[in-house]
Amino acid sequence: LGNLDSLRDWGYAKDYVECMWLMLQNDKPEDFVIATGVQHSVRDFAYYAFKHAGIELKFEGTGMKEVGKCVSVSGNVSRSLIGKVLVAVSEDFYRPTDVVNLWGDPTKAKAKLGWNPSKTSFEQLVKLMVESDMAKVASEGAAAKVKMNLVEYLEKGIVK
């Protein structure tokens, strides 16, 4: 991954569309910020994505030398992953014009429209995204191929 310290205001599109609908119900046209008002880092996102997949990560190091190692597994996840580096920072994924701090203030939408930007929590959002990706992989019959490639990748220690 790139900069694990980048902060984002992660929100669920379904919740945002609800806010758009509420804006259309408003008596007069106004500008509103659609955001959660809460920031999480890319590191947080990776942590919860792996956790939902049954892998507990521990991050070590800083900057370009930061890695996320598997410290435990659950479900039918292979115990052979324990101790392996599953997340590594790569300069290739740093954005040259990255805005490190993206954050919106939904106070007006909450007050005037009665919108709840916290309907879907950050953890729930990550879970939905992981489940969607896992279902897509399963439906394409690619799960065995991806699993094999991941095991091979981890066994060979191919980390750029």
Side-chain angles (χ1 to χ4, degrees), residues 65-136:
K65 296 188 189 286
E66 185 170 5
V67 296
K69 289 184 179 178
C70 176
V71 292
S72 68
V73 296
S74 61
N76 59 359
V77 178
S78 173
R79 294 188 52 76
S80 68
L81 295 178
I82 296 174
K84 303 264 186 186
V85 172
L86 302 183
V87 175
V89 174
S90 172
E91 192 173 5
D92 294 340
F93 296 109
Y94 267 73
R95 297 176 180 176
T97 58
D98 189 21
V99 176
V100 177
N101 185 7
L102 293 177
W103 191 14
D105 181 0
T107 302
K108 182 178 174 184
K110 288 174 17 179
K112 287 197 166 192
L113 303 174
W115 180 56
N116 176 8
S118 303
K119 187 180 273 185
T120 304
S121 72
F122 174 72
E123 291 84 0
Q124 289 170 320
L125 173 64
V126 175
K127 179 181 177 185
L128 288 166
M129 294 173 76
V130 169
E131 287 175 349
S132 175
D133 282 353
M134 292 172 100
K136 184 173 193 244

Side-chain angles (χ1 to χ4, degrees), residues 11-31:
Y12 186 33
K14 184 176 179 180
D15 294 342
Y16 286 9
V17 170
E18 177 189 7
C19 186
M20 292 175 210
W21 182 84
L22 289 169
M23 289 166 62
L24 292 170
Q25 308 316 302
N26 202 25
D27 290 336
K28 68 175 195 159
E30 292 183 61
D31 292 328

